[in-house]
Amino acid sequence: MPFFTISGSDFVEMFVGVGASRVRDMFEQGKKNAPCIIFIDEIDAVGRHRGAGLGGGNDEREQTLNQLLVEMDGFESNEGVILIAATNRPDVLDPALLRPGRFDRQVVVPNPDILGREQILKVHMRKVQVGADVDPRVIARGTPGFSGADLANLVNEAALLAARAGKRLVTMIDFEAAKDKVLMGVERRSMVMSEDEKELTAYHEAGHALVGLSVPKHDPLHKVTIIPRGRALGVTMSLPERDRHSYSKLELESRLAVLFGGRIAEELVFGADNVTTGAGNDIRQATEMARRMVTEFGFSDRLGPLRYSDNQEEIFLGHSVTQQKHVSDATARLIDEEVRRLIDGAEDTARRILAEQREDLQRVAGALLEYETLSGEEVRALLRGEPVVRADPRDEPRDAGRRASVPSSGKKASKEPRGGFEVEPQPNR
């Protein structure tokens, strides 16, 4: 059976009538080769909601969509032609495309579960030489929410890290490092930080970790580091034990408290006047989450289970031109008060936990300054009074005279080149 594949963007042309002509030609070829299957990828490029333009609706894209609807609507005989399309933006498709008689079936392809991730990893691992210690089930359990493309990228990153180290096989250590790189960002070990910045970052991340371990419901702590990754000076990462599809009110309130753990730790240790801008992203995430709890999830007793969100439509869709605001000034004021209540409650929870665990905060921060990266189990061992034990020699600092892998701009006792940069090891040739 012939199989024709075309991208939705191939229909769109700057010349009037070209897109509609291509649609007619495509169906003519399909009928000549019937029975056949026609597959249109990224159909949202041509099937976007009509009437969304701000400067009139008789544009080339709408003419192309109209011709596609005509061909699918039975005005012409299309027996033996099966039309399949794919998109990751079903919310912007024109309703006429989804009516019975056109696209009769809608198949939702979600991200794979743990069993699907394991099988996908096995497929991609065939392309690389993996070590005997690599267990796809363990990797799949630690990558909830990953898509097939994310898993393929994970395997590629692990192979690159192994190649840089001159290895013949990709081991579990490489997969863990690749997972950290994908989840938390690329390490910026060449970034120069002062001793004060490193200390403040250590207390900030230790505050996140302690609050996350102390709130009623929160994902287990995976890793905390003060090595700059991506745009952040430090990262505290928590991973769910299983695939999550919904969250309770208590879980979201616990997340709010964890987001403010870093800022509260800075305030308790260094004083309110020395709180830095490092919590800016935490505040943004907390504010957005609290507002959604109030306006979308119905987690406010004063507002009830109603949706109060303002117009969130994209301007290029044209929806915001005609939509009206359905929230009164009094309701908007009440929404702000409820958001403030949730934020204040999260701050109070984080402050109470860190004040009660001040010694634990100093212990975790001190370990971060010494080792720079701690796993969730190592943090829990510190809270039990146990020392951090690094069994793998690769986790130890490569330079015995300098423990920190992030160069410091402060004074140092060891005799090293200015800036403290290390030469990245090259693979054996």
Side-chain angles (χ1 to χ4, degrees):
M1 179 181 295
F3 191 89
F4 298 94
T5 302
I6 190 170
S7 175
S9 59
D10 293 337
F11 290 129
V12 182
E13 293 284 349
M14 63 179 296
F15 301 105
V16 177
V18 175
S21 175
R22 288 191 173 186
V23 172
R24 288 191 296 268
D25 294 341
M26 179 185 67
F27 277 91
E28 289 178 2
Q29 294 181 22
K31 286 181 287 185
K32 291 178 181 178
N33 294 275
C36 72
I37 298 175
I38 298 176
F39 175 69
I40 304 176
D41 193 16
E42 302 295 346
I43 195 175
D44 55 278
V46 67
R48 194 177 292 273
H49 198 293
R50 288 173 293 181
L54 300 180
N58 190 23
D59 57 3
E60 171 63 14
R61 183 186 56 78
E62 290 199 2
Q63 290 187 20
T64 306
L65 175 58
N66 290 335
Q67 185 63 40
L68 181 62
L69 295 174
V70 169
E71 296 289 347
M72 297 172 60
D73 202 29
F75 288 106
E76 297 182 9
S77 178
N78 294 331
E79 288 83 1
V81 178
I82 300 176
L83 186 62
I84 304 175
T87 180
N88 56 359
R89 290 296 308 274
D91 54 309
V92 303
L93 292 180
D94 192 276
L97 276 174
L98 307 179
R99 289 172 185 162
R102 290 179 178 136
F103 287 113
D104 298 316
R105 301 287 187 271
Q106 296 186 37
V107 180
V108 179
V109 183
N111 287 335
D113 57 8
I114 182 172
L115 297 178
R117 292 195 298 271
E118 180 183 2
Q119 298 302 318
I120 293 173
L121 283 170
K122 289 181 179 179
V123 171
H124 294 299
M125 286 180 181
R126 296 172 186 170
K127 305 176 183 179
V128 298
Q129 297 291 332
V130 297
D133 62 336
V134 176
D135 188 352
R137 173 59 67 91
V138 175
I139 301 175
R141 188 181 299 116
T143 52
F146 274 44
S147 65
D150 294 329
L151 295 173
N153 182 47
L154 177 68
V155 176
N156 290 337
E157 291 290 348
L160 288 174
L161 292 175
R164 289 178 181 176
K167 295 182 179 180
R168 294 178 177 268
L169 300 176
V170 184
T171 63
M172 200 66 177
I173 295 177
D174 301 313
F175 278 102
E176 286 295 326
K179 184 176 67 174
D180 293 340
K181 180 179 179 180
V182 172
L183 291 174
M184 298 187 293
V186 182
E187 287 186 355
R188 294 186 294 165
R189 290 183 176 269
S190 61
M191 182 177 179
V192 178
M193 294 176 60
S194 66
E195 295 295 336
D196 293 338
E197 287 176 327
K198 291 169 64 176
E199 183 180 8
L200 188 140
T201 303
Y203 277 100
H204 183 104
E205 301 304 329
H208 284 308
L210 280 180
V211 176
L213 292 172
S214 303
V215 289
K217 284 189 176 182
H218 194 263
D219 295 332
L221 180 64
H222 169 62
K223 190 166 293 186
V224 54
T225 178
I226 61 172
I227 298 176
R229 285 181 175 269
R231 300 179 181 178
L233 296 180
V235 179
T236 301
M237 177 61 63
S238 298
L239 288 178
E241 295 177 335
R242 54 183 174 83
D243 296 326
R244 303 298 306 275
H245 306 288
S246 61
Y247 296 89
S248 66
K249 180 181 179 181
L250 184 58
E251 288 172 323
L252 294 182
E253 289 177 345
S254 298
R255 285 192 170 195
L256 289 177
V258 173
L259 287 172
F260 282 101
R263 178 182 173 88
I264 298 302
E266 294 182 18
E267 179 181 330
L268 292 177
V269 176
F270 302 98
D273 294 336
N274 294 318
V275 173
T276 65
T277 59
N281 187 56
D282 299 331
I283 295 175
R284 179 185 62 81
Q285 294 184 46
T287 305
E288 292 178 356
M289 185 185 301
R291 185 166 294 277
R292 295 191 66 187
M293 291 174 63
V294 172
T295 60
E296 298 183 30
F297 304 147
F299 288 158
S300 171
D301 295 333
R302 299 175 65 186
L303 290 169
L306 293 176
R307 181 179 175 89
Y308 295 95
S309 295
D310 292 333
N311 175 28
Q312 300 290 338
E313 300 292 345
E314 301 288 349
I315 183 65
F316 70 90
L317 291 178
H319 295 171
S320 60
V321 177
T322 58
Q323 283 196 351
Q324 298 177 355
K325 183 178 180 181
H326 299 288
V327 178
S328 65
D329 294 338
T331 303
R333 187 180 304 109
L334 185 58
I335 291 174
D336 292 338
E337 292 175 359
E338 287 296 283
V339 172
R340 168 62 66 180
R341 180 184 62 82
L342 289 173
I343 296 298
D344 290 343
E347 283 190 302
D348 294 340
T349 300
R351 184 175 287 105
R352 173 181 54 81
I353 292 174
L354 294 179
E356 294 174 354
Q357 304 182 28
R358 187 67 177 267
E359 294 182 358
D360 293 335
L361 178 65
Q362 295 177 349
R363 187 181 298 114
V364 175
L368 283 173
L369 288 173
E370 182 176 1
Y371 297 102
E372 295 182 332
T373 300
L374 299 174
S375 65
E377 182 56 38
E378 289 173 337
V379 174
R380 288 185 283 270
L382 283 173
L383 299 182
R384 295 192 299 265
E386 303 173 3
V388 176
V389 178
R390 293 289 172 88
D392 192 340
R394 288 188 55 179
D395 293 335
E396 294 294 333
R398 290 173 291 181
D399 188 353
R402 178 177 60 83
R403 288 188 170 184
S405 61
V406 178
S408 172
S409 61
K411 295 182 178 179
K412 301 166 63 176
S414 60
K415 297 181 180 180
E416 294 184 350
R418 184 175 299 176
F421 293 98
E422 292 181 344
V423 179
E424 184 177 359
Q426 301 297 323
N428 296 328
R429 297 180 179 177

